[in-house]
Amino acid sequence: MSALEQIQRQIQWNRLIAVVEEQAQVMIRTAFSTTVREAGDLSAGVFDLQGRMLAQAVTGTPGHVNSMAESVGHFLAKFPAASMKPGDHYITNDPWLGTGHLHDLTVVTPAFHDGRIVGLFANTAHIIDIGGLGMGPDGRSVFEEGLYIPIVKCFDQGKPNETFFDFLRAGSRTPVELEGDVYSLCACNDAGAKRLAEMLAEYRLDGLDDLAAYIFEASITATRAAINALPHGTYKAEIHSDGYEAPVALHAALNVRTDEIVVDFNGTSGLSSRGINVPPAYCRAYSCFGIKCVVAPEIPNNWASLLPFRMEIPEGCILNAPRPYPVSVRHIVGQLLPDLMMGCLAQAVPDRVNAEGSSCLWNPPLRGGSQVSGQNAEVEDFEVISFNSGGTGARPTKDGMDGIAFPSGVRTMPVEATENVAPVIFWRKELRPDSAGPGRTRGGFGQIMEIGTKGEAEFAVNAIFDRVANAPKGRFGGGEGAGGRVLLDDANGTQLRSKGFQVVPKGRHLVLHLPGGGGMGDPKERDVALVKADVEDGLISAQAAKALYGV
């Protein structure tokens, strides 16, 4: 390929990124659920006719993007590309064919140019309610967790499948939001298909095949080179989750070879009877992400750049849940995987990893009204979830970030947005002092949140929290971050369970202490001025500064 042709391909690649980013932004601007429009819990991408992901939007989460990268092939197995027509849209929330639980809807749409199908657009979004028990860990099978949608056509040549939408509305506590989100997902794929057709016409391209070949070849070559530059060998690590019935141990042996990385999860805990199990695609998604953050962070994420990372996930372990095991809150365990991968890679490239962080999102699903209080309800029925995060782990040369979602990347939702759609009040939302793990670079701070309802009515929380009994660990001499806590605001600070459906009594508030990130390096080596600044800001107490940092 000539230098001019390479420049042209690079321009076309940049244009393709703009197309998929516009696809994602259309979803954000038209979504009904606050999880999408406020938190950005979504993914968007363009695929070739073999179901291989060419490009993804910058906006989105690794769990969605990398799982969705596998899901388009399942759509094509049921609805071959040759059978698709303009205006068709296909949908599923099958955890084993989509992105891991029923609360994620995945939509695939064909893109046409000059009357010929040239590619596919896909997206995923987390919706508020899909019926069943609601988002929580208490289900004992996926059938209890909500409405299960196989791969079906939701729009046929632009016309809605009314039977599908009848079932959809009838199966949810929030039918308006759910139906609106499906229309939003289809609209954003349509926007992507329109922009792609304009791009192909502008560059006088018949399709995506030549551009896809260029993208894939460049991506896999660069990824293999990055892998080969690592010290070859096998590196082992483990990490622990609070679990549900019992603690969960995740074990990994990461083998760096010449042109691939193979991760063996042998030794990991077995399946749970509750909804913390992880479908294998979700395990691969977050494991690949954790590795890429260290090994190849600048290489675009697509089918080819993911190909050199292989996962060996034993049957019967919690990271390889078969149908119909419950998987509603698979993120509780799955979002620990990047920390586990960094635990392995810390032995090979210690200057490129973070300490452990809060990792698992602290998203309190809240419910109230007659569903909780029956005839004594004092507020209207509501179902809402708010996305929040603890602190991230310390970095080699920088402190961890406060209240930031890593690895999911979703945004913290403004409390006003949640209060606007449900009768809840956030009485406190502030950084949690002394929660950051000490170190030469310290961890990020967690948060303290206090939540009640209007009129102080009783309500319920479907707790889906972790890092309570197993605080984020530091690296290379750094200290642990503070573990999380789930409390009532009564005089005794009554502790609630970190998982499961629980009622907050009338007149009481839910209080959440989100975990802080682990530190990195000897705390005594920390710049004294930085310690003093944290003390002056009220983030570290004078006692902690003296005990941990000697200041």
Side-chain angles (χ1 to χ4, degrees):
M1 183 180 293
S2 69
L4 178 59
E5 287 174 323
Q6 289 185 17
I7 293 171
Q8 289 173 330
R9 291 294 186 221
Q10 187 63 39
I11 292 171
Q12 292 162 7
W13 158 252
N14 290 337
R15 179 68 172 274
L16 197 61
I17 290 295
V19 168
V20 291
E21 186 59 28
E22 181 172 346
Q23 176 195 4
Q25 292 302 320
V26 169
M27 190 197 309
I28 289 172
R29 294 188 178 109
T30 59
F32 279 54
S33 291
T34 51
T35 50
V36 180
R37 71 171 189 264
E38 301 292 344
D41 195 8
L42 59 93
S43 65
V46 61
F47 295 70
D48 70 6
L49 295 178
Q50 297 180 54
R52 301 177 299 182
M53 186 170 69
L54 277 72
Q56 64 157 93
V58 174
T59 304
T61 77
H64 283 163
V65 169
N66 290 349
S67 297
M68 185 182 72
E70 296 187 27
S71 66
V72 174
H74 298 302
F75 280 81
L76 289 173
K78 184 170 183 180
F79 295 98
S83 69
M84 296 179 176
K85 295 180 173 57
D88 287 350
H89 296 275
Y90 306 86
I91 191 170
T92 191
N93 70 344
D94 185 322
W96 290 272
L97 303 181
T99 60
H101 68 170
L102 297 178
H103 280 77
D104 288 345
L105 300 181
T106 298
V107 172
V108 172
T109 303
F112 288 80
H113 176 55
D114 289 339
R116 186 171 60 88
I117 186 170
V118 291
L120 301 160
F121 281 87
N123 62 59
T124 298
H126 180 106
I127 49 90
I128 294 291
D129 183 74
I130 197 67
L133 292 173
M135 187 170 175
D138 289 332
R140 292 185 179 273
S141 81
V142 72
F143 301 116
E144 297 180 38
E145 294 181 326
L147 181 64
Y148 199 125
I149 305 168
I151 296 175
V152 296
K153 189 182 290 187
C154 57
F155 280 85
D156 187 351
Q157 298 182 68
K159 295 181 180 179
N161 180 340
E162 295 296 351
T163 302
F164 164 77
F165 281 104
D166 284 345
F167 275 105
L168 194 74
R169 288 187 292 264
S172 172
R173 300 174 183 87
T174 58
V176 174
E177 290 85 349
L178 182 55
E179 182 177 14
D181 283 334
V182 173
Y183 273 81
S184 171
L185 297 178
C186 296
C188 86
N189 278 358
D190 280 340
K194 179 182 177 182
R195 292 301 189 206
L196 179 62
E198 292 173 356
M199 169 188 161
L200 294 177
E202 180 177 340
Y203 293 113
R204 299 179 181 177
L205 299 174
D206 294 328
L208 288 170
D209 291 350
D210 291 343
L211 179 57
Y214 169 78
I215 293 170
F216 292 154
E217 179 60 29
S219 298
I220 198 167
T221 299
T223 302
R224 285 173 172 164
I227 292 171
N228 195 39
L230 298 172
H232 295 186
T234 299
Y235 308 97
K236 297 181 179 181
E238 63 182 81
I239 197 169
H240 296 269
S241 159
D242 301 348
Y244 189 107
E245 322 96 309
V248 170
L250 305 179
H251 290 260
L254 188 149
N255 189 345
V256 179
R257 301 175 181 175
T258 301
D259 58 359
E260 67 175 357
I261 290 178
V262 180
V263 183
D264 183 354
F265 291 99
N266 189 48
T268 291
S269 295
L271 293 158
S272 170
S273 65
R274 301 294 185 148
I276 61 173
N277 299 293
V278 182
Y282 196 80
C283 171
R284 288 189 286 268
Y286 268 113
S287 299
C288 286
F289 175 71
I291 296 170
K292 272 184 63 63
C293 282
V294 177
V295 176
E298 302 300 326
I299 299 171
N301 197 57
N302 54 52
W303 170 81
S305 63
L306 293 172
L307 203 58
F309 306 122
R310 292 198 296 110
M311 309 297 146
E312 296 178 351
I313 319 171
E315 290 186 9
C317 89
I318 198 168
L319 299 175
N320 193 0
R323 193 184 278 107
Y325 269 78
V327 291
S328 180
V329 292
R330 83 289 191 235
H331 71 280
I332 288 174
V333 171
Q335 289 180 359
L336 294 173
L337 290 168
D339 279 347
L340 180 61
M341 297 299 100
M342 289 192 186
C344 295
L345 290 166
Q347 302 159 53
V349 281
D351 58 332
R352 289 156 66 175
V353 301
N354 298 343
E356 292 181 9
S358 173
S359 304
C360 315
L361 288 165
W362 275 53
N363 300 338
L366 307 175
R367 182 183 300 174
S370 63
Q371 315 173 80
V372 175
S373 308
Q375 292 181 327
N376 298 320
E378 298 178 10
V379 292
E380 67 271 21
D381 288 359
F382 71 87
E383 186 90 10
V384 72
I385 188 169
S386 174
F387 281 28
N388 307 277
S389 307
T392 71
R395 295 166 285 181
T397 60
K398 296 180 180 179
D399 293 338
M401 295 178 286
D402 310 326
I404 295 293
F406 177 86
S408 74
V410 299
R411 297 189 297 269
T412 293
M413 291 167 58
V415 297
E416 295 85 356
T418 306
E419 291 174 341
N420 188 52
V421 297
V424 298
I425 298 175
F426 287 75
W427 292 99
R428 272 203 299 170
K429 193 173 193 294
E430 58 194 41
L431 293 181
R432 179 186 175 190
D434 288 333
S435 61
R440 184 184 64 254
T441 53
R442 61 157 172 76
F445 290 95
Q447 302 182 62
I448 297 176
M449 298 173 57
E450 183 176 339
I451 309 169
T453 59
K454 294 179 180 178
E456 303 292 358
E458 72 173 356
F459 65 102
V461 58
N462 214 349
I464 51 174
F465 312 123
D466 209 273
R467 295 293 213 185
V468 174
N470 293 275
K473 296 185 181 301
R475 298 200 199 279
F476 312 129
E480 289 187 350
R485 301 179 71 196
V486 186
L487 311 165
L488 294 179
D489 70 330
D490 55 22
N492 298 321
T494 300
Q495 292 200 44
L496 301 180
R497 290 179 287 118
S498 62
K499 294 180 180 68
F501 189 87
Q502 297 156 92
V503 174
V504 177
K506 178 179 172 62
R508 295 267 65 91
H509 298 164
L510 172 68
V511 181
L512 303 176
H513 288 204
L514 279 62
M520 184 171 286
D522 185 350
K524 297 298 193 295
E525 296 178 4
R526 183 165 176 79
D527 188 332
V528 172
L530 296 176
V531 179
K532 289 182 176 179
D534 282 340
V535 172
E536 290 171 358
D537 289 338
L539 296 173
I540 296 179
S541 64
Q543 296 89 337
K546 184 173 182 179
L548 298 173
Y549 294 99
V551 176

